[in-house]
Structure formats: C-alpha cells, structure tokens
Amino acid sequence: QVTLKESGPVLVKPTETLTLTCTVSGFSLSNNRMGVSWIRQPPGKALEWLAQIFSNDEKSYSTSLKSRLTISKDTSKSQVVLTMTNMDPVDTATYYCARYSSMHDAFDIWGQGTMVSVSS
Amino acid sequence: QSALTQPASVSGSPGQSITLSCTGTSSDVGAYDYVSWFQEYPGKAPKLMVYDVSHRPSGVSNRFSGSKSGNTASLTISGLQAEDEADYYCSSYTRSSTYVFGTGTKVTVL
C-alpha cells in the first residue's frame, strides 16, 4: 500500500524558515517513474503547486515562490524535505505531499496534509 | 503562472449530468494532454479522478469522464449522486515545466 505522510511544525513565526518532511512507503524514491510534489491549500482557498523532485533528483519550483523554496530527498530514509524561507501569515495553509506517477502523468496518491499557521 | 479558471459552483439534481470547465492558455491546458481532475471533500486530501485529460484511475466510477478542446478541459459527471457533492480541481502541466491548479468548483447536489 502506497502512503505519504507529512510532518512538521504546526506554528511558525513570521520571517522564520519552515521545514516539512514527507515520509513515503510502498514505493521507492529511486523508482524512475515516480516523483514527489508539495502542494498547499490556504483555508477556504484553492490548491497551489509548490515544488517537485523526481527520482533522478531533477527539481522544479513554482515560478512565484522559487526564491523561497528548496526541495530535497533522502532515498535511504524514504523522505522528501521542503524548506520555505521568510514565512508570512499568507503562507498559512494545509501543506500536502503527493506522489507524481509517470504512469498517470498526475499526482495519484496524496498525504493527509499538515496544517501550518504563521503567526507571531 | 495564473491559476486555471473554473466556475465557482455547479449544481444539479440526482441523476442529471453536469459539466465542469477548466480554462487555461496555450501554455498549459492547450499545450499538453496532461490535465488531471481531483475530487476533494472538506478536511480530506484530494483524490485523483481523471488523468491525461480523459483517463480514469482504477476504482474511479465511469460516471466521471474528461475531455479537452483547445485551452479548455472539461469534467462531466453523469448520473449525479449525493456522494458527488464536493470540490473539484483541475490541474495541468505547463510549458515552464511546472504545474498549475484551477480555482476550484463546488458541486452541489440539489
């Protein structure tokens, strides 16, 4: 069974750096048909794609947030890490990690999400 | 990258068919057949319903069907059921090698 689970702080202060971890099971991050993306959703608002890392370590970032984001993976730990610098209250959202499958050309399995609030 | 445009809400009676639209540009929806649709219930993670414009993952009802014409993709839900009441989002790959989601449509079953 394929699962993804997000973990990280519930609350961060403005200007701080957010670090989120996605732990996957049921598939390998070295599988050349798979990648992992981070996607967020502010309360009551739409989904927003943030970043993706593929099995060959190829990375891509949202054009508007690129300067603040870093995505990386530790294949041995089955983990994908996203850091977002200079957090602001508008970054308050549920953050999801999702598997990208080349078989579906889509985000086919999602984690449950983790809610992050930005407040002083 | 601007979000894809979806109607804020669509409603229908049980048994009816409804169609949700997703309008982008020649740089995203119109550029590739990499359009997906997701169903989201409140407080739950999105679920993939359609990929590559018109393909359904295993386990998704054949009442859900997708299509595309030019820069607009569509999701049709036939034989509308109470359980279909949810938010629906489209997504597309873009020429910038990024992904973009739609603004979301709330489906109400009357």
Side-chain angles (χ1 to χ4, degrees):
Chain A
Q1 182 188 7
V2 173
T3 63
L4 300 92
K5 187 171 185 178
E6 306 88 350
S7 58
V10 174
L11 179 66
V12 297
K13 291 181 169 54
T15 75
E16 288 186 340
T17 294
L18 171 68
T19 300
L20 294 172
T21 300
C22 176
T23 303
V24 310
S25 63
F27 73 100
S28 171
L29 295 175
S30 61
N31 186 318
N32 63 8
R33 296 174 64 86
M34 306 291 176
V36 172
S37 268
W38 283 95
I39 296 153
R40 70 178 179 180
Q41 184 173 37
K45 296 188 177 181
L47 299 166
E48 179 184 18
W49 179 81
L50 300 176
Q52 178 164 288
I53 189 164
F54 230 81
S55 53
N56 61 358
D57 216 38
E58 179 181 338
K59 302 164 188 173
S60 54
Y61 296 98
S62 161
T63 304
S64 60
L65 294 169
K66 186 172 185 176
S67 63
R68 299 173 54 204
L69 298 172
T70 302
I71 192 169
S72 62
K73 66 182 174 75
D74 185 331
T75 301
S76 65
K77 293 183 178 179
S78 295
Q79 292 180 334
V80 174
V81 175
L82 180 76
T83 62
M84 179 180 290
T85 61
N86 195 24
M87 292 292 285
D88 183 272
V90 300
D91 297 313
T92 293
T94 296
Y95 286 76
Y96 294 100
C97 60
R99 186 180 77 167
Y100 178 87
S101 167
S102 294
M103 183 169 63
H104 293 133
D105 297 316
F107 310 116
D108 63 345
I109 307 292
W110 294 58
Q112 62 190 21
T114 185
M115 178 65 191
V116 178
S117 295
V118 184
S119 174
S120 54
Chain B
Q1 182 71 51
S2 297
L4 307 176
T5 300
Q6 297 182 243
S9 63
V10 173
S11 62
S13 299
Q16 284 187 330
S17 291
I18 60 172
T19 296
L20 286 57
S21 62
C22 169
T23 301
T25 70
S26 58
S27 294
D28 38 61
V29 174
Y32 306 99
D33 284 339
Y34 297 147
V35 175
S36 306
W37 288 90
F38 300 89
Q39 177 189 63
E40 185 183 42
Y41 293 114
K44 299 295 186 182
K47 174 187 175 183
L48 179 65
M49 304 300 284
V50 167
Y51 66 95
D52 289 351
V53 173
S54 60
H55 294 82
R56 282 184 306 276
S58 174
V60 171
S61 171
N62 59 9
R63 298 186 299 103
F64 293 84
S65 61
S67 62
K68 190 185 86 166
S69 177
N71 298 335
T72 298
S74 299
L75 176 71
T76 297
I77 308 174
S78 58
L80 197 63
Q81 299 180 1
E83 66 200 50
D84 300 331
E85 187 161 295
D87 293 328
Y88 292 82
Y89 292 91
C90 59
S91 173
S92 175
Y93 186 62
T94 80
R95 288 192 187 276
S96 302
S97 301
T98 61
Y99 299 86
V100 61
F101 283 93
T103 52
T105 296
K106 181 178 180 59
V107 169
T108 301
V109 181
L110 301 171

